[in-house]
Amino acid sequence: MKSPFFNATALTLLSFVTCCVQAENAKPGDVTPIAAGYRPTLKTDESELWYIYDKIEINVKESPRLIRDPALNAYVRDVTCKITGDYCKDLRIYILDVPYFNAMMAPNGMMVVWSGALLRMQNEAELALVLGHEFGHYKNRHQLSQWRKAKKDSAFLATFGMITAGTGIDMAASLIGFANMAKFSRDKEREADKVGFEMLSRNGYDPFVGAQLWDRMLREEKVITYGKPLPVFASHPKAQERRDDLMAAAQALPNPGKKLDAEHYRSITETFLEKWLDDEISRRLFSTSLQALADMEPGYPSSKKGLFTFYRAEVYRRRNHDGDRAMSAKLYREAIGEEGAPASAWREHGLALKSANSRAEAIDALEKYLSLAPHADDMTFIDQNLKELRTTP
Amino acid sequence: MKNFLKLMLAASLLSLLGCVSAGGTLVKAGSSIPVFDMQVTTSLDWAKQRWGRFEIWTIDGGLLNELAIFSKVKPNENVFLGRRETKSRPDGVWYKPGLRQDELRDLILDGLRRQGLANVESSNLRPASVSGATGIRFDTKFTTAQGLNYGGTIMALERNERLTIFMWDAPLEYYHGRDVASVNKLLDSVKFVK
């Protein structure tokens, strides 16, 4: 999703930065970790960089993808504050409804977490690790050194193009995404990982969650046999190496913490589970969704089993490759016998039975669906199917 | 459709602002006119522009109301035309003949989401039948990246393994309510004539 207006604004702002700021003598490496409460001095390249992100943040605040749920926002903020301490007041966290795994940090203290990441996290410890990693970029002012490096680079104009081109996901998300697409170096990612890991372990969280989270992401990445890498891999190179580093760091801790706080995490995010699963399968990245569902399900109690089986069935049905219809029909049948299956599982089971010409069973299933969802917005469509089942010889 | 067709819209808006002098056509209220292989009757005045198997109609400009018509979408082609399925893009919004009605709706909604629209919802899925061709009609709501809320109605028809889509949307603020009945009447009037 590109916004010509915003691209023009960004380009103007960036041009302003390049022509007016006083940073000729600043080198990319001339940055020290940021102090709590820090604001850059006016008329420096850093203040202008913050100015750009302040403008971007206005768009993020108004984004239709912004999740405003008070409980979720309060929770993510609480975890952020728990791990960042005095820096908490300098950070603003925005949760965007984008069904991919990603989180981003802007140099001005704006942190963005995508819903696809929250869907995939299984506990508070994983959330703390991701937030801590992003905070690591902020604390070490990685964007500033990146910015200085880009301006000295002959590819600066190409960077302009990247920043103003958009990602196709959403204006606000895309601009931040592009800021991150100017990939951090391996050293900077490692540095951010170290900050995240330190915060995780210092707060008593289980330090092994880092390697576990990366393992799951790597599994998703491995099942993609086409197209572009997932956003998290586009901006984070050498994933396997970083996973191994996190594992080694966890193993080296003499008294590793055990805190996961999985139940608390689920109690906050569960409200969004069905919505986020709907969004997940709407991406039409079917192989990764199947992998993600397989990895997510063990993190939930058995009361959600029917829900996960239903969504696996949905992925097969929508993918519609050879054998997928039969697999989805089998899974719908399983789902309706399991705890937590949504009403839609009965609808899909009924429609699958109709396709298999099992009329009596199909009628029962569709009637069950209508009894469970008496105000279903597809009632006319279901009634038509029932009519066909009852009248067509 | 707010952004999917931005380039085409930019070109078309110029022509629409200039009294549709660059290949656009005015459709007068009360007229019955051919559209691809169909005949359509409208009670509204429209300006329309055509590109191959695709037409855009608008009354007040593309951002305020827009009827997009996609004709004869082929198997394995994007439901909104353009790209086709390839080995490197196996999971896109490719039209497959014989999909169930609700599956066709899901495919179209996924296509809208892929264009970057947020909060895409549908309601009131109902069967549609035009000159023996079967299909669906349903209502939509979505939000653009700029935060504008739109509502609309979509009709999709399958005929001879080709898909025809009528997709109308307008801001929920004023324009949708003003035209929704007339647009649905227009959709009721669609007939295949070839």
Side-chain angles (χ1 to χ4, degrees), chain B residues 52-94:
Chain B
R53 289 177 283 146
F54 168 66
E55 278 193 8
I56 280 194
W57 295 26
T58 183
I59 299 166
D60 304 285
L63 292 173
L64 299 179
N65 35 54
E66 183 176 285
L67 174 66
I69 306 166
F70 304 88
S71 172
K72 294 186 178 174
V73 179
K74 297 170 190 166
N76 305 320
E77 199 169 31
N78 189 299
V79 287
F80 302 142
L81 297 171
R83 292 177 139 188
R84 289 179 65 82
E85 181 176 4
T86 63
K87 278 186 180 174
S88 62
R89 294 194 296 262
D91 292 340
V93 286
W94 317 123

Side-chain angles (χ1 to χ4, degrees), chain A residues 211 214-215 218 239-249 251:
Chain A
W214 274 112
D215 276 340
L218 284 163
Q240 182 66 48
E241 186 182 301
R242 290 176 55 205
R243 175 260 176 224
D244 293 344
D245 286 349
L246 282 167
M247 177 58 96
Q251 286 170 335

